[in-house]
Amino acid sequence: MNSVIKDSLDPQVDDSVSRYDFLLLPCLFPTSPAKHNIPLFGVRGKDAFGEVKTARRLNLGDPERSAASPEFPAPARAEHTITCFRSVGAELGSRLLARQAWTPGAASCDPAGGGSSPGAGARAARRQFPELQDHIRGEESNKFENGLGETVVVQVCPTQQETAALLEKVLDRKQAAAELLAAAIHQEVVLSDPALDDVAVTISTESMAVWIDPIDSTNQYIRGRGDVLPVDGIYPSGLRSALVLIGVYNRHSGEPVLGIINEPFFKEKLPARRWQSKYHWGISYGGTRLSSLSRPQLRTSPRVVLSSNEKVALQEALTPLYGQQLCFASGAGYKMLCVALGLADAYVLSEGSTFKWDSCGPHAILLALGGGMVDLSEALKSWQAGQRKPLPELTYNKPVEGALGAERWANQGGLVAYIHREHLEAVMATLAAAANTF
């Protein structure tokens, strides 16, 4: 078949930390971030669209406290930079996908717990799938300025020593942190998935492209709350909503083909405080529909999951259909996953606050399960015009005309994620009846 990936990492901006853009790599340390105690101080850099990002001082080992130790002394000022790790995450995700993509059994998560780290593979990726090299996208740029005023391009080098030397520049000469990260980046792991051993699907990479979201719900990841309890199976916030999202799409039609969602913080194993990860995948290609998940049943009492800041007018418009079954959660990818898992019948978003890297992977999984993800604004227009089959699904190959920066890749019309067509129709009928109110 040619395959499934996991363990790479999203870009969501939390204004409370001054539009930070960095990566605390759960793909490098998925089992126990606290074990490594890597501090992150202020980060300054530009994303892939030229927007300057600044971060406050944080600590990978304990996101709720600042770090200061003999190995990693506290910075002299808040803008002192250790790194923009998100660039590393995008690089790792790109390499892992390109190296492993579409190979039977090319992804796994240790079911006994422990997760895994991506192995080295930049050179292998370029050799094996050179046609993908210019078609792997995310929000992040790998070029930024460190605290010493140097412009650094983050990349995985041929050897661990070279990568450590480069990261030492990124980390303002913090040798111990650079060596630890380089060792994790170059660690070789065996990736396998027994569920794929008997699957045979041929997908040509010549027409494919990739969206990578290295850490979805980044603000929840930074806050590090592992003690949030679920409400009817849905976690409203906390580490459970921090996901890794990879989506492969046809760059000509824009249709999603393959999706991978990794939950780095699926289960905490106490007292060691080690996290067990779990991943999900789906393929929707030609007449093939395959997924690691089973198609959930339509709920007898329908439920919708929404963003906590969703418009009150939309919430009220949905009340005739859902009554009090309005659930709220952080993270766009997590809410989409809730639909794929059958924890909610739909995820409805009225605004263009998600991006292609958020939705591409989950969309492919939903398609594999017989569902999908429609553009809410366009779908309402079609519904009101009597053109109800099919409703326009999101696509991933064309930027928004006239938009700038990251907004070029926003899902501007909002969206509805669903599994069952009959429930999508119920949502559209309900919203069409109240379309002038939200």
Side-chain angles (χ1 to χ4, degrees):
M1 141 179 131
N2 289 343
S3 144
V4 175
I5 321 294
K6 72 168 198 43
D7 275 350
S8 73
L9 313 177
D10 150 46
Q12 267 186 339
V13 174
D14 180 357
D15 291 334
S16 69
V17 292
S18 305
R19 290 185 61 78
Y20 58 75
D21 184 29
F22 60 92
L23 174 63
L24 308 178
L25 277 172
C27 75
L28 291 182
F29 311 111
T31 58
S32 181
K35 173 182 176 182
H36 301 277
N37 196 37
I38 298 178
L40 298 179
F41 304 108
V43 174
R44 297 179 62 206
K46 293 184 178 181
D47 65 10
F49 308 105
E51 297 180 9
V52 176
K53 304 292 184 67
T54 303
R56 64 182 176 186
R57 184 175 173 221
L58 298 166
N59 177 27
L60 180 59
D62 182 354
E64 294 189 345
R65 66 178 176 83
S66 296
S69 67
E71 293 82 9
F72 307 110
R77 56 193 175 91
E79 289 187 353
H80 182 54
T81 300
I82 282 210
T83 189
C84 182
F85 277 125
R86 181 177 294 254
S87 300
V88 181
E91 170 76 10
L92 289 172
S94 300
R95 291 188 299 105
L96 182 61
L97 182 61
R99 185 178 73 163
Q100 301 296 343
W102 308 296
T103 303
S108 77
C109 176
D110 180 5
S116 64
S117 301
R123 291 164 294 162
R126 295 186 179 98
R127 287 198 303 268
Q128 189 171 358
F129 298 111
E131 66 276 15
L132 284 179
Q133 184 169 341
D134 297 327
H135 300 284
I136 300 176
R137 298 177 175 180
E139 184 188 23
E140 303 76 26
S141 167
N142 63 340
K143 181 185 294 186
F144 63 97
E145 182 179 312
N146 69 9
L148 302 177
E150 301 170 320
T151 298
V152 183
V153 177
V154 177
Q155 59 185 339
V156 179
C157 301
T159 69
Q160 180 175 324
Q161 291 72 24
E162 290 174 296
T163 299
L166 175 63
L167 289 176
E168 193 172 337
K169 292 181 180 178
V170 176
L171 301 174
D172 297 346
R173 309 296 185 258
K174 301 297 187 297
Q175 182 178 359
E179 291 178 351
L180 178 60
L181 283 170
I185 292 168
H186 285 268
Q187 178 182 349
E188 291 291 347
V189 295
V190 178
L191 299 173
S192 64
D193 188 339
L196 296 172
D197 289 345
D198 298 324
V199 174
V201 178
T202 300
I203 300 176
S204 171
T205 57
E206 292 290 344
S207 60
M208 296 297 138
V210 182
W211 282 113
I212 294 178
D213 204 346
I215 310 178
D216 191 44
S217 195
T218 314
N219 57 334
Q220 295 299 321
Y221 178 65
I222 297 305
R223 290 174 181 136
R225 292 286 305 278
D227 58 349
V228 176
L229 298 177
V231 178
D232 295 327
I234 295 177
Y235 289 83
S237 60
L239 286 173
R240 287 296 299 270
S241 64
L243 306 178
V244 177
L245 308 172
I246 302 178
V248 179
Y249 65 96
N250 185 308
R251 61 179 182 254
H252 304 302
S253 68
E255 297 174 347
V257 171
L258 182 148
I260 305 97
I261 298 176
N262 187 45
E263 298 182 82
F265 304 101
F266 176 71
K267 183 178 180 181
E268 186 176 17
K269 303 181 73 174
L270 299 174
R273 295 190 64 193
R274 295 178 66 85
W275 286 94
Q276 176 180 338
S277 60
K278 185 175 184 178
Y279 76 99
H280 316 280
W281 56 267
I283 302 165
S284 175
Y285 183 71
T288 300
R289 299 288 184 273
L290 297 170
S291 179
S292 59
L293 296 171
S294 298
R295 190 172 194 244
Q297 298 294 315
L298 188 63
R299 301 171 64 89
T300 55
S301 178
R303 177 193 295 176
V304 66
V305 63
L306 304 169
S307 298
S308 57
N309 59 351
E310 182 54 78
K311 295 176 182 176
V312 173
L314 181 83
Q315 297 180 40
E316 293 175 347
L318 291 171
T319 300
L321 176 60
Y322 295 108
Q324 299 301 311
Q325 294 293 308
L326 302 181
C327 301
F328 300 89
S330 298
Y334 177 68
K335 289 187 280 287
M336 296 167 192
L337 177 60
C338 286
V339 177
L341 294 173
L343 298 172
D345 296 286
Y347 163 37
V348 182
L349 179 67
S350 64
E351 298 183 338
S353 56
T354 65
F355 297 84
K356 302 304 182 185
W357 47 81
D358 295 311
S359 57
C360 186
H363 191 173
I365 295 175
L366 291 169
L367 286 172
L369 294 171
M373 202 177 305
V374 300
D375 180 311
L376 175 57
S377 178
E378 294 302 316
L380 277 173
K381 292 177 184 177
S382 295
W383 187 271
Q384 292 167 333
Q387 302 170 359
R388 300 181 178 181
K389 289 185 179 181
L391 292 172
E393 299 268 330
L394 294 179
T395 55
Y396 296 90
N397 59 336
K398 295 181 180 179
V400 178
E401 293 185 10
L404 300 174
E407 294 301 318
R408 296 174 66 238
W409 300 105
N411 297 315
Q412 284 199 332
L415 59 86
V416 180
Y418 68 97
I419 290 289
H420 297 275
R421 171 77 192 192
E422 54 265 46
H423 188 72
L424 171 64
E425 292 179 354
V427 171
M428 297 309 303
T430 301
L431 293 180
N436 294 327
T437 64
F438 64 89

